[in-house]
Amino acid sequence: MAGLLTPGGDPLLAVRFTVPDLTETFVRRQRLVGRLDEGVQGPLTLVNGPAGAGKTLLVAHWISTRDRPDDVAWLTVEHEDTGPGIFWTYVLEALRRHGAAVPDDIGSPSSPGDVDHSLLTRLAAWLSERAEPVILVLDEFDRVGASAEVADELQFVLRHAGGGLRLVIVSRTEPQLPLHRYRAAGLVAEVRGADLAFVPGETAALLSRHDIRLSDEGARSLTEWTGGWAAGLRLCILAAQHVDDPDTFIKNFEAGQSTLADFLLAEVLEAQSEETQDLLLRSSILDQIHPGLANALTGREDADAILAGLQHANAFVEAIGHAWYRLHPLFAEILRVHLRVRLPGLEPELHRRAARWLSGAGLLAEALPHAAGAGEWELAADRFVDELAIGELLTGLDAERLGGLFAAMPPDAAGPAATLVRAARELVRHDVDRGLEYLRRAGEHLAGEETGTPALRLSHALLRVFAARLTGSADRAEAAAEDMRRAQFSLPAEQLERHPELSALMLTDLGSAQLWAGRFDDARNSLSAAARIDDGPSTAYPRHESLSRLALIDLLCGRPGRAESHARAAVAEAERSGLPPAARTGVAQLVLAAVAVDRDELAAAQTHLDQATESSAAAHDPVATAGLVLLRSRLLLAKGHPKEALRVLQELKRPPHGVEPSPWVADRAALAMSGAYLALGEPLAAAEVLAEEGATGPEATAAAARARLAVGDREAARALLDGLSTELDEGPCIAVRVLLARAQTADALGDDSTAQRLVARALRTARAERLRRPFLEAGPWLRTFVRHRPGLAQGHEWLPETAAVRSAVPSPGADREPEFAAVLEPLSEREQEVLERLAQMMSRDEIAADLHLSVNTVKTHLKSVYRKLAATRRGEAVRRARDLHLL
């Protein structure tokens, strides 16, 4: 029949005009259908992606969703269509078969190899006059992609058809159309390989269509492993269809020995020239490919053109910028398997060449895995230390990967660099004993004044500072830091500038050791210098740590406002740098919790404490470990559980192995124990623990004076406090506690005016920092004192209702003494039992018999109950206890 033959006389193949059918397992992806709907509003839509990406079926599905599917003309292009006459014969027939009444006067090509230009002119003119545009899909257009003639003719028709032609090109490669013009004018819609890639939800839908149940994590992993490549997903799923445990099967799936490999090798690798195949196989050992690096692997100089061609052809090679490329991960895995089959024994040599090229290009982190792959561990360690990269094992985004890499280093890898790398790994893993042993061995290599390179000596000194920090030795940290500074003078300044993490780590570790030893001024100087170092990703963790420890120093010096500011800066640094909670120091949250306790914000304190325990590093950091214990005890005491607080503090009597004692930790523990004993009504024990532990400083003196007052020894309390300067240099948190202790002593000695002046001063000092806890801990004397001097409480509404100072102001017209919202010192368990029997109108003898106590012991407990409830008689004590819900 006329019109059904090509110019060469061959019959037209009807199958080429047929839109492919969709399988039952096809996943409909509306996000891409919408892109095509929008695309055909303009002249050109390009669906471009690698083999097996699902391009053809996507367009077929889109056609099926249209209100009038028949208004789309479909043509599957073949290699023979490079002849313009054949190509345009098929295009004209595709238009006719899909309802477009192409006029006879347009004509037909007469020769397979060319087409009359006037025919194209008539076709474009006819299209431009149509009321409704014609939509033409050209599938597999890459088969004629090399024909510049066909591309030029297609561009001529498309440009002169006006709005009468909507062209949809489905291709593995970009067509030789002037795409830059269409893109600049916003006249092309593109669905590319990245768009075609399945997302985890679509993978899950595909699994469901094949009746495979895979966990959410399994679906995500499968999507990542295949890069969302449709054909890869389908082939993996088909292979997993008949196994009992799809999750395990997919996890252990060997891509190199599967239909996946057959597909990619046949469709991609074997379609290339020998030179291209060789480059792909050799480059499969690389995570990223540079033309120069590929040339080093092949021994040729053609990589630039080959890689650009592969990327243009969508042959599973992706350009990632700055002349670097990346293979599809699944394709790379299959190529590596094929490399071992086709070129056995070559892989170590390829790794060796890659290591040398990357190292020469200054890409040490990228070179190391290849040095390891070549088995050249000593070279890898030497280069690692020579490049001053030892700090990257201790901090930074690459620390975990580098640690895992060197974990495979065999025991026979010798030399000081390898020993230092082992020392760093053990210290990072908190095995201090093994780390110190490796440091000792490395030190033997460097014993002479001129022995070892400056890089070796610097790395050795840096690790010694780190080890000293872990063992709490400020002296050893300072000596090692001085050695590191001397080594730095022998190194090029530009090399040191590339590794700001070295100074940041040294200063942070030095400051931590000085902090542990109680050398607060030295620690503050070291940590402040660390916090000011370059704010790149490699120094994020040292900055976070240094700010956290600066916050702790402020806290220990009684300055909660400054402590909170530094702690929040440390948390902000961690958030900005993306440090996960488990990798953070925990000290910043400890400080925020302690500040919240001082302000009597116990719910917030508990939240910060919980966050501090999320850090996996805290358990191995002496500062954080001790801080956690002290904070738990303070919070328990604030919540009214003094016995539990004492039990927790026993943990500090078992210091970590090999860690030197810390003076401030001992002082803080003694203070906490003293406060717990006072809350239990045992003032003698409170005084004894301070004396036995040798606690020093204004806070310890104030606590000792309170204990003496509790046993009625007013003169001893005055003698203790007289030894303190009246103008303290400590922060407000310490000053308030000392002022309240002085006020209580003055009150006990009958000096009312001095007591009033000191209480007023304590209130003014505490107000700016909202320090509520010292007033709650002051004891019932403060409540009694302020009750008769209500003017002291005026203007201090910032205190909570549980504080006696605020609640002490009587309401206008009150005809009885004010009630208080809480007991300032919790009753002990035995005191609570005595109180309950007191409320039952039992006598002292009856209470003693019921509780199996002596009468004198009952008298002692009653005296303590009356004191804590600010009562003088049985009835008054019982009434107050009921008002406070203690009965």
Side-chain angles (χ1 to χ4, degrees):
M1 180 185 295
L4 296 182
L5 298 177
T6 68
D10 296 323
L12 297 179
L13 301 175
V15 69
R16 293 178 57 186
F17 308 114
T18 304
V19 179
D21 292 329
L22 302 177
T23 64
E24 293 181 358
T25 57
F26 179 79
V27 175
R28 289 156 172 79
R29 299 192 281 171
Q30 193 58 42
R31 64 182 177 91
L32 297 180
V33 169
R35 296 273 291 274
L36 294 175
D37 279 334
E38 293 176 8
V40 294
Q41 302 305 310
L44 180 61
T45 302
L46 179 61
V47 182
N48 178 241
K55 305 180 294 296
T56 297
L57 290 181
L58 167 66
V59 178
H61 173 227
W62 165 70
I63 292 172
S64 71
T65 65
R66 293 181 58 80
D67 294 336
R68 294 172 53 199
D70 292 341
D71 68 353
V72 179
W74 180 282
L75 173 62
T76 301
V77 178
E78 295 289 354
H79 293 291
E80 65 183 24
D81 295 343
T82 52
I86 296 177
F87 174 78
W88 286 105
T89 298
Y90 269 101
V91 167
L92 291 168
E93 186 60 25
L95 296 174
R96 293 188 180 101
R97 292 198 178 214
H98 290 277
V102 180
D104 292 339
D105 61 3
I106 287 179
S108 297
S110 58
S111 168
D114 57 46
V115 65
D116 186 9
H117 187 72
S118 63
L119 183 151
L120 301 178
T121 303
R122 291 191 296 273
L123 175 60
W126 169 71
L127 288 168
S128 68
E129 295 171 355
R130 286 180 55 85
E132 292 291 331
V134 171
I135 300 174
L136 173 63
V137 174
L138 297 177
D139 188 29
E140 305 280 6
F141 190 74
D142 48 280
R143 292 173 175 171
V144 297
S147 174
E149 193 174 358
V150 169
D152 288 343
E153 292 166 352
L154 190 61
Q155 159 63 7
F156 173 82
V157 172
L158 181 61
R159 181 159 58 93
H160 291 90
L165 178 62
R166 302 285 190 261
L167 188 60
V168 180
I169 293 181
V170 184
S171 175
R172 295 186 189 182
T173 62
E174 287 195 353
Q176 294 192 49
L177 300 174
L179 294 178
H180 61 283
R181 296 180 188 169
Y182 287 97
R183 286 168 178 154
L187 297 177
V188 59
E190 299 183 69
V191 178
R192 307 190 70 83
D195 305 310
L196 292 163
F198 274 57
V199 297
E202 292 166 348
T203 299
L206 185 62
L207 287 161
S208 178
R209 297 289 176 89
H210 287 84
D211 294 323
I212 290 182
R213 300 291 176 263
L214 204 63
S215 66
D216 290 344
E217 180 58 34
R220 280 193 297 272
S221 297
L222 179 59
T223 306
E224 291 174 7
W225 181 58
T226 59
W229 178 43
L233 285 169
R234 179 168 171 77
L235 291 170
C236 287
I237 290 170
L238 289 174
Q241 245 180 335
H242 304 294
V243 299
D244 295 330
D245 186 356
D247 272 289
T248 302
F249 178 82
I250 292 294
K251 183 178 180 180
N252 299 321
F253 186 69
E254 296 184 11
Q257 308 296 330
S258 67
T259 51
L260 271 175
D262 297 338
F263 181 93
L264 282 171
L265 293 175
E267 289 287 330
V268 182
L269 183 66
E270 293 172 7
Q272 310 299 330
S273 67
E274 287 188 14
E275 292 80 8
T276 300
Q277 291 187 45
D278 181 62
L279 182 145
L280 285 170
L281 288 169
R282 290 169 182 257
S283 299
S284 65
I285 67 161
L286 305 171
D287 291 329
Q288 296 181 6
I289 309 169
H290 187 278
L293 177 52
N295 286 336
L297 298 184
T298 63
R300 304 192 309 270
E301 296 294 331
D302 55 4
D304 211 333
I306 289 176
L307 289 168
L310 288 168
Q311 189 268 335
H312 180 77
N314 268 320
F316 292 88
V317 175
E318 175 189 7
I320 55 177
H322 304 288
W324 286 87
Y325 296 84
R326 178 172 53 212
L327 288 172
H328 187 287
L330 199 55
F331 189 33
E333 182 177 341
I334 291 168
L335 287 173
R336 283 193 292 274
V337 173
H338 201 57
L339 169 67
R340 293 165 196 146
V341 173
R342 187 184 290 191
L343 300 168
L346 182 61
E347 200 166 348
E349 174 58 25
L350 293 175
H351 281 298
R352 190 172 294 108
R353 293 184 191 181
R356 291 172 182 165
W357 190 93
L358 289 164
S359 181
L363 300 170
L364 178 64
E366 291 80 3
L368 287 173
H370 296 291
E376 296 188 357
W377 287 102
E378 291 178 25
L379 171 63
D382 287 341
R383 293 291 297 152
F384 192 68
V385 172
D386 286 346
E387 290 293 330
L388 302 184
I390 198 74
E392 294 178 23
L393 276 172
L394 311 182
T395 186
L397 303 178
D398 217 22
E400 186 175 351
R401 184 186 71 84
L402 290 171
L405 170 68
F406 279 111
M409 186 164 61
D412 59 357
T419 305
L420 284 175
V421 168
R422 291 191 179 97
R425 288 197 66 251
E426 297 301 340
L427 292 173
V428 167
R429 295 164 59 200
H430 311 292
D431 191 335
V432 179
D433 289 340
R434 286 174 64 86
L436 288 172
E437 174 58 23
Y438 283 125
L439 280 178
R440 183 191 64 77
R441 294 182 196 175
E444 291 175 353
H445 288 282
L446 305 172
E449 187 67 28
E450 301 300 324
T451 304
T453 65
L456 279 168
R457 295 199 302 273
L458 181 145
S459 300
H460 184 244
L462 173 67
L463 294 178
R464 285 164 49 215
V465 179
F466 185 27
R469 172 251 183 95
L470 295 176
T471 56
S473 175
D475 290 339
R476 288 201 293 270
E478 289 171 352
E482 186 57 35
D483 288 346
M484 182 172 166
R485 292 187 183 104
R486 280 197 294 269
Q488 286 176 322
F489 287 124
S490 302
L491 288 160
E494 60 272 15
Q495 188 179 18
L496 291 169
E497 288 171 2
R498 291 198 298 270
H499 293 280
E501 73 278 0
L502 297 174
S503 292
L505 286 166
M506 182 271 283
L507 289 166
T508 300
D509 293 342
L510 173 61
S512 295
Q514 292 167 329
L515 165 58
W516 181 256
R519 303 175 188 175
F520 292 161
D521 289 340
D522 291 338
R524 186 181 287 109
N525 290 336
S526 299
L527 295 168
S528 297
R532 290 193 297 268
I533 286 179
D534 169 80
D535 62 350
S538 66
T539 59
Y541 186 71
R543 286 197 310 277
H544 165 67
E545 276 206 304
S546 59
L547 289 166
S548 298
R549 281 157 171 71
L550 285 169
L552 181 58
I553 293 172
D554 291 331
L555 182 77
L556 294 173
C557 292
R559 295 180 172 85
R562 282 172 49 177
E564 182 183 30
S565 178
H566 270 128
R568 295 204 180 280
V571 172
E573 176 61 41
E575 295 289 344
R576 185 178 70 87
S577 304
L579 289 174
R584 300 179 189 182
T585 172
V587 173
Q589 294 294 347
L590 282 176
V591 170
L592 292 173
V595 171
V597 171
D598 282 330
R599 293 170 178 168
D600 198 42
E601 297 166 352
L602 302 188
Q606 186 64 59
T607 299
H608 289 304
L609 174 59
D610 293 342
Q611 291 171 343
T613 59
E614 293 179 10
S615 168
S616 58
H620 306 284
D621 178 0
V623 171
T625 302
L628 279 169
V629 174
L630 291 169
L631 182 60
R632 287 193 188 105
S633 70
R634 283 200 67 198
L635 197 50
L636 284 166
L637 182 58
K639 290 179 177 180
H641 307 295
K643 284 187 176 180
E644 283 297 301
L646 284 171
R647 183 188 61 75
V648 168
L649 288 167
Q650 297 305 309
E651 296 179 29
L652 292 178
K653 293 187 176 295
R654 302 185 297 275
H657 170 69
V659 178
E660 296 185 9
S662 169
W664 65 264
V665 171
D667 283 354
R668 290 280 156 174
L671 279 169
M673 293 175 71
S674 176
Y677 281 125
L678 272 182
L680 287 167
E682 300 180 34
L684 286 176
E688 287 171 4
V689 72
L690 291 168
E692 289 174 1
E693 296 297 332
T696 60
E699 271 190 289
T701 301
R706 286 186 59 210
R708 291 300 175 188
L709 289 171
V711 296
D713 195 346
R714 295 171 292 181
E715 292 301 327
R718 176 164 63 181
L720 285 168
L721 291 168
D722 283 348
L724 292 178
S725 169
T726 56
E727 296 297 329
L728 293 174
D729 191 32
E730 279 72 14
C733 209
I734 297 174
V736 168
R737 286 183 166 87
V738 172
L739 287 167
L740 289 175
R742 289 186 188 278
Q744 185 179 358
T745 304
D747 182 42
L749 291 168
D751 187 350
D752 184 71
S753 62
T754 298
Q756 287 196 59
R757 177 175 55 79
L758 291 168
V759 169
R761 184 177 170 189
L763 287 165
R764 290 195 303 272
T765 304
R767 179 171 187 160
E769 299 276 8
R770 306 192 308 282
L771 299 175
R772 303 177 178 100
R773 198 77 221 155
F775 298 94
L776 294 167
E777 294 170 349
W781 78 270
L782 182 61
R783 176 169 48 198
T784 304
F785 185 81
V786 177
R787 180 188 309 151
H788 299 98
R789 301 161 185 83
L792 284 173
Q794 293 178 3
H796 294 290
E797 292 76 12
W798 54 275
L799 283 167
E801 293 182 0
T802 49
V805 175
R806 178 176 174 187
S807 300
V809 182
S811 301
D815 56 2
R816 61 184 179 88
E817 63 187 14
E819 306 299 341
F820 301 99
V823 182
L824 293 184
E825 285 187 61
L827 300 181
S828 67
E829 293 179 14
R830 186 62 81 184
E831 289 166 353
Q832 182 70 32
E833 292 172 343
V834 170
L835 175 63
E836 289 170 354
R837 285 153 182 78
L838 197 69
Q840 297 170 20
M841 303 305 293
M842 294 172 66
S843 68
R844 292 176 182 172
D845 292 343
E846 289 171 332
I847 294 173
D850 193 41
L851 295 177
H852 305 289
L853 301 173
S854 69
V855 174
N856 285 336
T857 300
V858 171
K859 288 180 180 178
T860 300
H861 286 311
L862 283 172
K863 182 179 178 181
S864 181
V865 168
Y866 289 164
R867 176 177 62 81
K868 291 182 177 181
L869 293 174
T872 56
R873 299 182 304 279
R874 174 197 292 258
E876 183 183 15
V878 170
R879 179 173 60 80
R880 290 220 172 118
R882 287 198 172 110
D883 290 341
L884 295 167
H885 306 292
L886 297 177
L887 292 171

